[in-house]
Amino acid sequence: MKTATITSSSPLSQLQLLLLLRRQTDVRTIANHYASQLHLCFPHNPLSYSLARTIHAQMITSGFKPRGHILNRLMDVYCKSGNLVYARQLFDEIPQPDIVGRTTLIAAYSDAGDPKQAREIFDHTPLSIRDTVSYNAMITGYSHNDDGHNAVKIFGEMMADQFKPDNFTFTSVLSASTRIVDDERQCQQLHCAVVKSGTESVVSVLNALVTLYVKCASLLSTSSMDAARKVFDGMPERDELTWTTMITGYVRNDDLDSARKIFDGMTDKLDVAWNAMISGYVHHGCISEALELFKRMKEDGIQYDEFTYTSVLSACANSGLFKHGKEVHGNIIRTEVKPASKLPLAVNNALITLYWKNNEVDQAREIFDKMLERDLVSWNAILSGYVNVQRIEDAKELFNKMPERNPLTWTVMIAGFAQNGFGEEGLKLFNQMRMEGFEPCDYAFAGAITACAGLGSLENGRQLHAQLIRFGFDSSLSAGNALVTMYARCGIVEAAHLVFRTMPYVDSVSWNAMIAALGQHGHGAQVVELFERMLQEEILPDRITFLTVLSACSHAGLVEEGCRYFESMNQIYGITPGEDHYARLIDLLCRAGKISEAKGVIETMPFVPGAPVWEALLAGCRIHGNEELGIEAAERLFELTPQHSGTYVLLANMYASMGRWNDVAKVRKVMRDRGVKKEPGCSWIEVANKVHVFMVGDTLHPEVQEVYSFLEELGVKMRELGYVPDTKYVLQDVGDEQKEYVLSTHSEKLAVGFGLLKLPRGATVRVLKNLRICGDCHKAFKFMSKVVEREIVVRDGKRFHHFKDGECSCGNYW
């Protein structure tokens, strides 16, 4: 404040002079009072805004004209209270805002995510009053708003305007550069600028420089890790961020050895660095190393935190180490002060995943129900758990209760429906997902396509294939694998093969799907050829591969090849055959009539044979009429699976083929006494985007009488070519005429007849059946295909049959 010069000639009286001085003293006192009041407005204090507004109101009503430092303080309080509107009004009322006020508002707009307004104030700030702090505020603002280009640009302007950058400048501009680095030379140029500025000994600057080199290494060149290491080695002082950045950098560049060397060289017990190292091991599948470090943390007295627990629990969940995971859970319960319900969200989510991935979904649900806070990860995890154990009704109930959903939620549910026999619901859900505005990912498409495969809905599958291409997912591995299976299960193995050949990348699942497709369609020789090609391309077969190959060899009668591949499982590939592999081997031998060899395999199995093995033997005995061994197999099955209707049906079929009707009646009586119900045969066909289902002896389909009439007319032409109904497949002791009628009402015949009536002339008839095709139907379709000069494809519970020109693709070996 300027002091007035008073002379004797002044027009002011002595009293006026004293009053003026008194008023000047009051102004100073009042100003100090307001300043001290504003200093009570601490940042982030919810009462600060109210207090500041009260002080501001008092200033206005008292007529007090605050000076710059008080206005700046008031603006600062408004900004930190989130009231930028009041701060800006105050700023606009100041005739000439100083650099402090301008910088305060620049920083506030940047923090609020509005760098455009911040830049406007900065650009209107005269160059004469700018300083390094104002440039730092602008650079930091761009950096915090992920705008690396403008941050670097304004740094260049700062240098051009000859303002000297400080450590805050370089920390901000280096951090911003990590978002836009696309050339290692950019890192080197900024490094040189740091050295020239004299800030190369500041920890925050060097940390930002190390981070920049590490980011450059992960995006462009691993040689940048060497530059990061040089900076790291030359640092006079390191903090937690330094160690963690270097460890994480090596981990992301798949150099766990270098990461471990850095880690072992730490002098301080930094829990963040330990977590980074454990997380790196988990990410790269080095589970034993991760668990070893987890154990050492406790021994070295380093406190576990939520990141430690999350990493280790995830490792146990993904590696099948359920026992270890439960031990970690026990440690959490014993050592955490908080009750389990108040554990960090990430830890609870990891626990849910641990339990559901090990089929302990009820335990996972118990954790879920106790959680005080849940997010989408929590809901999706428990939903995945229910789907994983095929509890679809529970999954549906949970899905309907979810407060929000994301694409993963829909995808899990769609896949769950598709893989558990609810294909129609899966397709409906896929369409609902799109109607609600969620864009499907390739996994959602894969789930919907899998649903089409289960339903045999070729037209829906084709439409989804077209949509998949439109969405740009035609190169997706999961969708490609689903398409191979869909086309194969809808009867077009050629389309499946085309998809397989044009996939940009294939994995073992792709090979397995294609091998299974060829096998299901009776192309045994092609299966062997494809499997050998798979081995030549150094794709290691897994247990699923051998299951598909053995099945294909069984259906094609390739006994020698099948036995050789079975032996190679353990001898060459170290895969111990499971009961399912033995069942395929038994089936292979039995279909070829080698019943005694099959019995010998059963007697030398390394474990007690279960139902699949005895079922394969019984089926073989039925085909080749080995009554004694068939009855033994049936008795074993009655002990193991007394409620499985297939055993009774196979045994009854065997008795019926030998004319032992009394024994057939006895088997049926046992079924009734035990409450076992035979699954009714049904077949379905898709015509004009609608699926038509036929039951055996159907009378409910609105057009079934027309079908019966058509089949009767067709039967006359078939008999002219030599067709005679094979009545041995009728499991009833009735007259031949009645037996022929029973055969004529089989569901697959009705479905094929409907297709011949309704599909365009020359179109392939594709029918799906839930049970094994009847022997007489198989014979009849060969004659039908010749009479109508059309291809008939039937998928039964085991495989495909392609009937054309009076022949079947299976070569009558089925």
Side-chain angles (χ1 to χ4, degrees):
M1 182 180 291
K2 293 181 181 179
T3 304
T5 303
I6 306 298
T7 63
S8 56
S9 62
S10 172
L12 294 175
S13 67
Q14 189 68 25
L15 178 60
Q16 289 174 319
L17 177 61
L18 290 172
L19 288 172
L20 176 62
L21 292 173
R22 177 65 182 271
R23 281 199 301 272
Q24 289 175 334
T25 304
D26 287 345
V27 168
R28 199 177 298 113
T29 302
I30 292 170
N32 290 337
H33 170 74
Y34 284 135
S36 63
Q37 287 289 303
L38 287 171
H39 278 294
L40 297 176
C41 301
F42 300 107
H44 312 301
N45 184 338
L47 299 178
S48 295
Y49 170 66
S50 299
L51 178 58
R53 290 286 290 164
T54 301
I55 296 169
H56 193 182
Q58 289 176 355
M59 291 181 191
I60 295 171
T61 55
S62 67
F64 176 70
K65 303 291 185 184
R67 299 221 175 170
H69 70 287
I70 292 180
L71 291 172
N72 289 340
R73 177 58 183 157
L74 194 55
M75 267 196 298
D76 185 51
V77 174
Y78 284 151
C79 288
K80 288 176 179 174
S81 300
N83 291 278
L84 273 170
V85 173
Y86 289 123
R88 184 58 187 262
Q89 286 177 355
L90 193 59
F91 177 84
D92 291 339
E93 291 172 4
I94 303 172
Q96 293 294 330
D98 63 14
I99 191 59
V100 175
R102 293 173 185 272
T103 305
T104 297
L105 210 54
I106 289 170
Y109 276 125
S110 297
D111 289 342
D114 192 354
K116 184 178 179 181
Q117 289 281 0
R119 185 60 189 258
E120 180 186 331
I121 293 173
F122 180 83
D123 288 341
H124 285 87
T125 301
L127 189 64
S128 59
I129 67 168
R130 291 183 191 175
D131 59 10
T132 298
V133 177
S134 60
Y135 278 96
N136 287 352
M138 204 62 242
I139 294 170
T140 303
Y142 279 130
S143 179
H144 287 172
N145 285 279
D146 296 328
D147 190 349
H149 289 288
N150 273 319
V152 173
K153 182 180 177 182
I154 204 163
F155 172 73
E157 293 175 10
M158 176 183 184
M159 299 293 286
D161 292 338
Q162 297 185 343
F163 286 90
K164 185 178 180 181
D166 59 14
N167 55 322
F168 296 106
T169 314
F170 281 109
T171 301
S172 294
V173 78
L174 289 168
S175 297
S177 297
T178 60
R179 297 169 174 83
I180 61 168
V181 61
D182 57 7
D183 190 337
E184 194 170 358
R185 286 175 298 180
Q186 293 175 347
C187 306
Q188 294 167 349
Q189 289 169 356
L190 287 168
H191 193 169
C192 289
V194 168
V195 173
K196 289 179 180 177
S197 71
T199 60
E200 72 273 17
S201 61
V202 179
V203 174
S204 62
V205 174
L206 294 177
N207 280 345
L209 188 58
V210 168
T211 302
L212 180 62
Y213 275 125
V214 166
K215 185 64 178 288
C216 186
S218 63
L219 293 176
L220 303 171
S221 169
T222 54
S223 64
S224 294
M225 279 305 300
D226 296 334
R229 182 60 186 266
K230 286 180 181 177
V231 175
F232 173 84
D233 289 340
M235 290 178 69
E237 181 185 352
R238 302 176 185 127
D239 61 11
E240 194 170 39
L241 179 61
T242 319
W243 294 99
T244 307
T245 302
M246 283 302 297
I247 292 169
T248 305
Y250 278 125
V251 167
R252 288 178 179 171
N253 283 278
D254 300 326
D255 189 352
L256 290 179
D257 290 336
S258 295
R260 185 58 187 261
K261 287 177 183 176
I262 293 285
F263 175 81
D264 289 338
M266 284 194 311
T267 54
D268 298 323
K269 295 180 178 180
L270 305 173
D271 56 348
V272 176
W274 281 76
N275 288 339
M277 196 68 235
I278 290 173
S279 177
Y281 277 136
V282 171
H283 181 72
H284 286 81
C286 303
I287 306 304
S288 58
E289 289 86 347
L291 294 177
E292 179 261 331
L293 276 188
F294 178 72
K295 182 181 177 182
R296 268 189 54 194
M297 279 185 78
K298 185 176 182 180
E299 293 172 351
D300 289 0
I302 300 174
Q303 188 70 35
Y304 297 143
D305 61 17
E306 64 178 286
F307 301 104
T308 322
Y309 286 131
T310 302
S311 292
V312 173
L313 287 169
S314 298
C316 295
N318 295 326
S319 305
L321 299 174
F322 185 46
K323 183 179 177 181
H324 288 281
K326 288 186 73 174
E327 289 174 357
V328 175
H329 189 189
N331 182 76
I332 293 172
I333 294 171
R334 288 191 304 272
T335 59
E336 291 294 324
V337 177
K338 299 175 182 178
S341 60
K342 292 185 178 180
L343 284 175
L345 178 63
V347 176
N348 272 324
N349 287 344
L351 284 169
I352 291 173
T353 302
L354 169 73
Y355 282 102
W356 83 251
K357 283 196 173 182
N358 288 277
N359 299 326
E360 297 284 348
V361 69
D362 288 327
Q363 181 65 39
R365 183 58 187 264
E366 186 178 331
I367 294 168
F368 176 85
D369 288 339
K370 290 180 179 178
M371 291 169 65
L372 300 180
E373 178 190 4
R374 304 183 187 116
D375 61 3
L376 256 175
V377 175
S378 322
W379 286 93
N380 285 340
I382 197 67
L383 184 71
S384 299
Y386 281 132
V387 168
N388 185 58
V389 295
Q390 301 179 345
R391 286 167 56 173
I392 300 302
E393 289 304 318
D394 288 326
K396 285 168 64 176
E397 182 183 354
L398 190 79
F399 179 82
N400 292 330
K401 288 180 178 177
M402 291 181 71
E404 60 176 318
R405 299 167 185 150
N406 65 0
L408 176 61
T409 315
W410 293 90
T411 301
V412 168
M413 231 18 239
I414 292 165
F417 278 135
Q419 293 165 7
N420 289 281
F422 299 93
E424 192 171 344
E425 289 191 63
L427 288 178
K428 286 180 180 177
L429 201 65
F430 180 81
N431 292 329
Q432 183 185 342
M433 172 188 183
R434 299 190 65 179
M435 287 174 61
E436 293 192 15
F438 288 91
E439 188 169 298
C441 63
D442 56 333
Y443 292 104
F445 271 107
I449 292 167
T450 300
C452 293
L455 294 170
S457 182
L458 178 60
E459 289 310 311
N460 272 326
R462 281 173 167 162
Q463 290 173 14
L464 286 169
H465 190 177
Q467 293 173 25
L468 188 78
I469 294 171
R470 255 196 329 269
F471 273 80
F473 295 139
D474 46 318
S475 61
S476 163
L477 180 61
S478 59
N481 290 341
L483 283 170
V484 170
T485 301
M486 185 275 294
Y487 280 120
R489 297 202 68 192
C490 288
I492 313 182
V493 71
E494 299 81 10
H497 209 170
L498 178 62
V499 171
F500 176 78
R501 290 199 309 268
T502 55
M503 287 172 67
Y505 172 75
V506 292
D507 61 2
S508 60
V509 175
S510 318
W511 288 91
N512 291 347
M514 195 63 236
I515 289 170
L518 292 170
Q520 288 169 348
H521 288 266
H523 302 304
Q526 290 185 43
V527 166
V528 171
E529 181 184 341
L530 189 66
F531 180 60
E532 293 294 339
R533 204 176 100 208
M534 175 183 178
L535 299 179
Q536 289 172 6
E537 296 193 15
E538 299 183 349
I539 305 294
L540 285 177
D542 56 21
R543 64 183 318 277
I544 304 298
T545 314
F546 282 105
L547 282 175
T548 56
V549 170
L550 289 171
S551 291
C553 290
S554 176
H555 289 305
L558 302 174
V559 179
E560 184 180 339
E561 291 86 346
C563 290
R564 186 175 75 249
Y565 291 140
F566 182 86
E567 292 296 325
S568 72
M569 285 182 66
N570 194 21
Q571 293 178 0
I572 299 177
Y573 301 103
I575 301 173
T576 303
E579 185 179 26
D580 44 3
H581 297 100
Y582 275 98
R584 299 291 200 283
L585 179 62
I586 301 301
D587 187 60
L588 169 73
L589 295 170
C590 287
R591 285 177 184 274
K594 298 179 179 293
I595 305 296
S596 58
E597 288 92 330
K599 185 68 165 61
V601 171
I602 292 174
E603 291 170 349
T604 58
M605 283 172 59
F607 43 77
V608 177
V613 171
W614 291 114
E615 188 174 345
L617 182 63
L618 175 57
C621 291
R622 184 195 66 80
I623 294 171
H624 296 286
N626 193 319
E627 176 187 344
E628 183 180 348
L629 193 54
I631 292 172
E632 180 188 344
E635 288 175 350
R636 296 295 181 91
L637 284 167
F638 289 148
E639 294 171 4
L640 294 168
T641 54
Q643 295 300 308
H644 180 52
S645 63
T647 305
Y648 301 89
V649 173
L650 283 172
L651 185 59
N653 282 341
M654 187 172 69
Y655 285 141
S657 65
M658 296 183 289
R660 294 174 55 174
W661 298 110
N662 288 336
D663 290 322
V664 172
K666 288 177 182 178
V667 172
R668 287 177 173 167
K669 184 177 183 303
V670 172
M671 285 184 72
R672 287 194 300 271
D673 293 344
R674 294 180 177 178
V676 179
K677 292 187 177 181
K678 176 182 177 293
E679 182 182 359
C682 75
S683 302
W684 58 98
I685 182 171
E686 186 177 12
V687 176
N689 288 327
K690 183 179 179 181
V691 176
H692 296 262
V693 181
F694 294 88
M695 307 297 291
V696 61
D698 202 312
T699 59
L700 298 178
H701 192 281
E703 298 177 85
V704 74
Q705 293 305 321
E706 184 183 356
V707 174
Y708 281 128
S709 298
F710 173 76
L711 289 175
E712 189 174 343
E713 294 172 9
L714 192 60
V716 175
K717 297 177 182 179
M718 291 163 57
R719 288 174 187 273
E720 291 175 357
L721 293 178
Y723 167 67
V724 178
D726 196 341
T727 57
K728 73 180 181 183
Y729 291 100
V730 178
L731 303 183
Q732 299 174 27
D733 187 14
V734 294
D736 287 344
E737 187 175 337
Q738 184 65 20
K739 286 182 178 180
E740 289 184 18
Y741 173 75
V742 171
L743 289 173
S744 71
T745 65
H746 282 193
S747 65
E748 56 264 54
K749 282 196 180 81
L750 299 177
V752 168
F754 183 79
L756 291 171
L757 273 172
K758 300 299 179 181
L759 289 171
R761 184 180 295 273
T764 299
V765 176
R766 292 185 173 85
V767 168
L768 289 79
K769 179 177 170 62
N770 62 332
L771 303 177
R772 192 171 185 267
I773 189 174
C774 156
D776 176 70
C777 289
H778 188 271
K779 179 180 178 181
F781 293 150
K782 289 196 291 183
F783 281 93
M784 276 188 198
S785 68
K786 193 167 186 177
V787 170
V788 300
E789 296 181 342
R790 291 166 75 168
E791 184 177 3
I792 299 170
V793 179
V794 178
R795 187 187 91 188
D796 67 9
K798 295 289 185 180
R799 61 179 301 177
F800 277 88
H801 299 268
H802 294 252
F803 302 94
K804 189 175 183 180
D805 298 327
E807 298 295 335
C808 179
S809 59
C810 72
N812 298 324
Y813 191 87
W814 58 286

